Amino acid sequence: MNDKDQKELGKTLWAIADQLRGSMNADDFRDYMLSFLFLRYLSDNYEAAAKKELGADYPDQQAIGNGGRTPLSVWYAANPRDVEVFEKQMRRKTHYVIKPQYLWGHIVHLAKNQDRDLLDTLQKGFKHIEEDSFESEFQGLFSEINLTSDKLGRKYDDRNAKLCSVISEIARGMALSTTADSLGDAYEYLIGQFAAGSGKKAGEFYTPQQISNILSAIVTLDSQEPKAGPRSKLASVFDFACGSGSLLLNIRNRMTKVGGSIGKIYGQEYNVTTYNLARMNMLLHGVKDTEFEIHHGDTLKNDWDWLREMNPARKPQFDAVVANPPFSYRWEPGEAMAQDPRFKNHGVAPRSAADFAFLLHGLHYLKDDGVMAIILPHGVLFRGGKEADIRMKLLTDGHIDTVIGLPANLFYSTGIPVCIVVLKKCKKSDDVLFINAAEHFTKGKRQNQLADDHIQRIVETYRDRAEHERYSRRVSMKEIADNDFNLNISRYVSTAEAETEIDLAKTHRDLVVIEKELRAAMAKHNAFLKELGLPLLPVGGVELKG
């Protein structure tokens, strides 16, 4: 399936979603739609691996017909004594097991035949995947899929009929899909489409792909010498406000494209719905359950026990840290936060805005030779009070490497302009690079867009630490200190064009010529009027002496 077909699959499924959801809230329908897409992926992947494992013993689909039986259900029935050994092998190779009755093919058969057992089978199937399929328990993976919701229907039969309709249409829309990549692309496309219609809620789970591309490009370059190009290996990556996990996947894909390797992916997400989206997204993009760990919890409270390791030698640290946390989130730090290891060296962010609390959380877990890129509102660059103290400490300690100003209206959730702050614990340069890309974008109907050349220019400017007029500049710490550690980008890189200097002498000469030409034309005109016996026009103007 080519790129065009992959995009068409996403568009087809979105059209189906728009048609089927009816009166159901788009966010609610999103959970059903994406869960069924996920089940289709798991089933396809599992059946392909089973066919490879069983070889010639794998039943032929054409031979068994379309009576609702899948090849695996036929093999299970014919080989009951071998099932345990087979499933053990599948756990080792694919990392999960799905019983034949819960595979997508069987679910679709029930739906197309309006089978009254569909709803019950789905409930059992989701529970099976959460509790029994994987070595790692994926408890609550489908917790947001309420199959007993009145939004599907008031009675069991009504809900069952609605699901039969939804699944049949989704199956029709996915009929062309033959690869895992196409399903992964469709999943990402649908997340973006649902985000576009979610307003402020979109900020909870979606970072626009164009911004993800900038962050992933920055953190995959060599942290100390970006000019050296991409790193050959990222042992660990952490996103402490990971949403649907798209940014982490973007980094993983970029490392793969440049021929590098990536170790384990770590994420944390507070919203349970988004947390489940992230886990599905990882699996759907071929990341094995042993290759990622997503924690459901509050980053600001640091309630992930694994991160609270007090022994410095065992404290988790990451090669790259990325995040798009909630902007200017109100929080309740409490007095004890002053002694929190994350904040005690820099200070605690004010209740009115947790931006610096998120930043310091990520910096705390960054390796000495790592790089961190975080999306923040511009207020962190110049606000006073406690934030000014934190900013000054970060600058004097040499942790702020680059500040990138982005255009306004790039996000679905807010129209404000944002910035990317790049931080390092050990950076070679003793200045700060400012990139003012605020006016470099393509105007869109609803959101502004960053074209590939806009993204490339930002990344290349960061990589080369280059200076360009009205775009980027390296600013010394002395100049920043002289400005009271204010990092307002326009203070250092103004995009305003200098006014053209007027040559007064030349302007005067030009006016003299014009005045002479005007008088000559007027005299000629009056000559015609005199011949016609008409009154003459007065010759006005100011005498200009050349």
Side-chain angles (χ1 to χ4, degrees):
M1 178 174 282
N2 58 37
D3 290 343
K4 183 179 179 181
D5 289 337
Q6 290 176 7
K7 290 178 182 177
E8 284 304 312
L9 174 61
K11 291 178 181 178
T12 299
L13 292 176
W14 174 248
I16 291 171
D18 208 34
Q19 168 195 335
L20 289 176
R21 71 181 182 88
S23 60
M24 187 181 293
N25 182 282
D27 290 339
D28 292 333
F29 194 79
R30 174 196 68 206
D31 300 328
Y32 291 93
M33 190 81 178
L34 296 178
S35 293
F36 294 143
L37 188 61
F38 176 61
L39 180 59
R40 162 71 192 269
Y41 167 80
L42 287 183
S43 299
D44 283 3
N45 191 52
Y46 187 72
E47 289 178 292
K51 185 175 183 178
K52 185 176 180 181
E53 178 67 23
L54 295 174
D57 293 332
Y58 190 79
D60 181 72
Q61 180 68 64
Q62 290 184 334
I64 63 177
N66 295 316
R69 296 187 301 166
T70 63
L72 269 183
S73 67
V74 173
W75 186 86
Y76 266 58
N79 302 276
R81 294 181 180 179
D82 299 327
V83 168
E84 185 178 348
V85 174
F86 166 75
E87 290 186 348
K88 186 176 181 180
Q89 278 291 91
M90 292 299 285
R91 286 190 188 280
R92 187 174 68 83
K93 293 184 177 180
T94 63
H95 290 248
Y96 66 96
V97 165
I98 300 183
K99 297 291 185 183
Q101 64 268 34
Y102 305 132
L103 290 168
W104 176 250
H106 181 62
I107 296 296
V108 170
H109 172 77
L110 295 178
K112 289 182 175 179
N113 286 278
Q114 295 286 309
D115 195 299
R116 198 171 183 276
D117 289 336
L118 171 69
L119 198 157
D120 185 54
T121 303
L122 269 178
Q123 287 178 316
K124 292 177 180 177
F126 287 161
K127 185 176 181 181
H128 165 69
I129 292 172
E130 287 181 342
E131 298 178 359
D132 303 322
S133 287
F134 293 87
E135 290 295 331
S136 307
E137 187 177 286
F138 281 82
Q139 190 66 41
L141 189 63
F142 298 98
S143 62
E144 299 302 296
I145 313 302
N146 185 1
L147 297 176
T148 63
S149 171
D150 285 348
K151 294 175 183 178
L152 290 172
R154 298 190 65 182
K155 298 178 181 179
Y156 178 94
D157 287 341
D158 294 336
R159 294 192 293 273
N160 195 74
K162 177 71 171 179
L163 286 171
C164 285
S165 174
V166 169
I167 291 171
S168 295
E169 282 299 302
I170 292 174
R172 180 183 62 81
M174 288 194 284
L176 293 175
S177 172
T178 56
T179 68
D181 284 345
S182 64
L183 291 173
D185 289 344
Y187 191 92
E188 287 286 340
Y189 179 85
L190 288 172
I191 286 178
Q193 290 302 108
F194 280 114
S198 295
K200 290 186 177 180
K201 288 184 178 180
E204 297 176 0
F205 63 88
Y206 191 70
T207 301
Q209 201 66 241
Q210 53 201 327
I211 300 177
S212 289
N213 289 341
I214 298 173
L215 267 66
S216 64
I218 286 173
V219 301
T220 53
L221 289 171
D222 187 281
S223 63
Q224 300 305 302
E225 292 288 353
K227 286 183 182 179
R231 299 176 64 147
S232 60
K233 180 179 181 180
L234 275 176
S236 57
V237 181
F238 181 38
D239 183 345
F240 54 79
C242 70
S244 61
S246 298
L247 178 50
L248 288 170
L249 288 169
N250 195 316
I251 294 170
R252 184 176 185 266
N253 292 339
R254 186 174 289 270
M255 285 300 295
T256 303
K257 283 182 180 179
V258 299
S261 63
I262 189 167
K264 197 163 184 177
I265 292 172
Y266 297 89
Q268 182 161 355
E269 176 54 39
Y270 183 64
N271 181 290
V272 65
T273 303
T274 313
Y275 160 66
N276 288 329
L277 285 180
R279 295 192 291 172
M280 287 184 191
N281 208 5
M282 292 292 154
L283 294 167
L284 201 144
H285 281 86
V287 187
K288 293 183 174 62
D289 60 325
T290 54
E291 297 174 338
F292 75 91
E293 188 168 349
I294 309 291
H295 177 73
H296 176 224
D298 190 332
T299 293
L300 294 175
K301 292 180 180 178
N302 204 19
D303 61 5
W304 193 350
D305 290 340
W306 176 61
L307 291 180
R308 293 205 304 269
E309 173 61 55
M310 299 305 293
N311 184 343
R314 297 174 59 187
K315 184 182 80 172
Q317 289 187 303
F318 306 94
D319 290 313
V321 176
V322 291
N324 174 24
F327 299 151
S328 299
Y329 181 77
R330 293 188 67 87
W331 70 313
E332 297 294 332
E335 293 182 7
M337 282 295 185
Q339 297 305 312
D340 190 299
R342 299 172 295 168
F343 310 133
K344 68 179 183 180
N345 291 329
H346 294 86
V348 180
R351 284 184 171 84
S352 58
D355 301 311
F356 271 118
F358 284 118
L359 183 152
L360 292 172
H361 176 88
L363 185 65
H364 181 69
Y365 295 107
L366 184 67
K367 286 183 179 177
D368 287 346
D369 61 348
V371 60
M372 173 179 170
I374 182 172
I375 303 169
L376 294 169
H378 276 260
V380 300
L381 303 177
F382 54 78
R383 287 193 296 244
K386 293 180 180 178
E387 291 182 296
D389 295 337
I390 296 171
R391 187 169 58 246
M392 182 174 69
K393 176 67 172 169
L394 287 168
L395 286 163
T396 54
D397 286 352
H399 293 324
I400 296 180
D401 178 85
T402 302
V403 178
I404 304 169
L406 297 177
N409 202 28
L410 291 178
F411 287 79
Y412 295 117
S413 55
T414 179
I416 66 169
V418 300
C419 63
I420 297 172
V421 180
V422 182
L423 300 107
K424 299 174 183 179
K425 285 188 174 177
C426 300
K427 68 183 183 98
K428 290 189 175 181
S429 57
D430 58 358
D431 53 32
V432 175
L433 174 66
F434 286 84
I435 300 175
N436 193 343
E439 296 184 6
H440 298 262
F441 62 91
T442 301
K443 186 74 175 175
K445 288 183 179 179
R446 298 172 68 179
Q447 273 76 40
N448 293 327
Q449 303 291 323
L450 293 177
D452 289 344
D453 58 328
H454 298 138
I455 295 171
Q456 184 177 352
R457 188 179 187 192
I458 291 172
V459 174
E460 288 180 352
T461 302
Y462 164 78
R463 181 195 65 195
D464 300 334
R465 215 163 181 79
E467 294 186 297
H468 302 287
E469 188 177 358
R470 299 195 307 278
Y471 187 76
S472 62
R473 182 172 162 236
R474 296 170 62 171
V475 181
S476 69
M477 283 304 305
K478 181 183 183 304
E479 183 176 345
I480 292 173
D482 289 344
N483 280 290
D484 295 324
F485 299 95
N486 186 314
L487 296 180
N488 195 343
I489 299 171
S490 60
R491 181 171 295 214
Y492 303 103
V493 183
S494 174
T495 59
E497 293 191 33
E499 292 186 9
T500 304
E501 188 174 323
I502 298 174
D503 186 335
L504 293 177
K506 181 180 182 302
T507 301
H508 179 76
R509 290 194 298 272
D510 291 342
L511 286 173
V512 168
V513 172
I514 293 171
E515 177 69 17
K516 288 179 179 179
E517 291 174 349
L518 181 61
R519 286 178 176 277
M522 188 68 75
K524 188 174 183 180
H525 186 68
N526 276 339
F528 291 136
L529 291 175
K530 185 176 182 181
E531 288 181 14
L532 294 171
L534 296 174
L536 304 183
L537 294 175
V539 180
V542 178
E543 183 72 28
L544 294 174
K545 296 181 179 180

